[in-house]
Amino acid sequence: SVGLGLNPHEMELSVYNLLMEPDVTIDDVVVETGVPGMDLLPSNIDLSAAEVQLVHEVAREQTLSRVLAPAVERYDVIIIDCQPSLGLLTVNALTAADGVIVPLECEYFALRGVALLKTTIDKVAQRLNPRLFIDGVLGTMYDGRTLHGRQVMERLVQAWVDTVFHTVIRRTVEF
């Protein structure tokens, strides 16, 4: 939201309100951006409270899917940007999504942590969202001038190429 010019302290409504208040609709929250053809559901620090409050809800993993449903036909693509955690909000995003692009900083510890994300994605696909596939992994902050950067990228490719390749094959067979 900040990256698109919104002040997080001046938002009247955000994704938090959409998730937690039944009378708030997606049309109440969506904001036009300065980018042609791109709208935004803004967020701020209030969203972190939803993580705790959703724990007590029935079908809490599908909350985001339910509130996004009216927008699915209006947009060609909906991008859900998640914080780097594996909490209930991320599970909601994975339950609502058809595909996942995993951004991964080309650092050793990031590579180790992504194994937990893959496990979570696999569980969500098995238990909540059979449409969910890993569409790819995006190496970020890559510096090919360093041996460390090249080694991490090599391990990233080795670890994920089979996963992404099988996803492409499975999606092609389904269509």
Side-chain angles (χ1 to χ4, degrees), residues 59-63 65 87-88 90-97 120-132:
R60 60 187 168 259
E61 296 89 356
Q62 288 91 16
T63 304
S65 293
L88 188 52
T90 300
V91 171
N92 259 270
L94 294 171
T95 303
T120 300
I121 291 168
D122 291 344
K123 285 181 183 177
V124 169
Q126 290 170 1
R127 300 175 186 175
L128 296 167
N129 182 2
R131 302 179 326 275
L132 185 63

Side-chain angles (χ1 to χ4, degrees), residues 15 18-19 24-26 30 40-41 62-75 78-81 92-97 131:
V15 174
L18 185 61
L19 291 172
V24 174
T25 68
I26 197 161
V30 73
L40 173 70
L41 285 175
Q62 288 91 16
T63 304
L64 184 60
S65 293
R66 284 193 305 275
V67 300
L68 287 180
V72 169
E73 295 300 319
R74 286 189 277 183
Y75 294 96
I78 297 175
I79 298 173
I80 305 170
D81 185 16
N92 259 270
L94 294 171
T95 303
R131 302 179 326 275

Side-chain angles (χ1 to χ4, degrees), residues 77-148:
V77 175
I78 297 175
I79 298 173
I80 305 170
D81 185 16
C82 297
Q83 60 187 358
S85 79
L86 299 177
L88 188 52
L89 292 175
T90 300
V91 171
N92 259 270
L94 294 171
T95 303
D98 293 326
V100 179
I101 297 173
V102 179
L104 179 68
E105 186 176 346
C106 291
E107 291 292 331
Y108 175 72
F109 291 112
L111 188 60
R112 290 187 60 193
V114 82
L116 295 173
L117 175 60
K118 183 173 180 330
T119 300
T120 300
I121 291 168
D122 291 344
K123 285 181 183 177
V124 169
Q126 290 170 1
R127 300 175 186 175
L128 296 167
N129 182 2
R131 302 179 326 275
L132 185 63
F133 290 96
I134 298 172
D135 286 325
V137 179
L138 177 63
T140 64
M141 301 184 71
Y142 172 70
D143 186 352
R145 297 171 299 175
T146 67
L147 178 61
H148 177 73

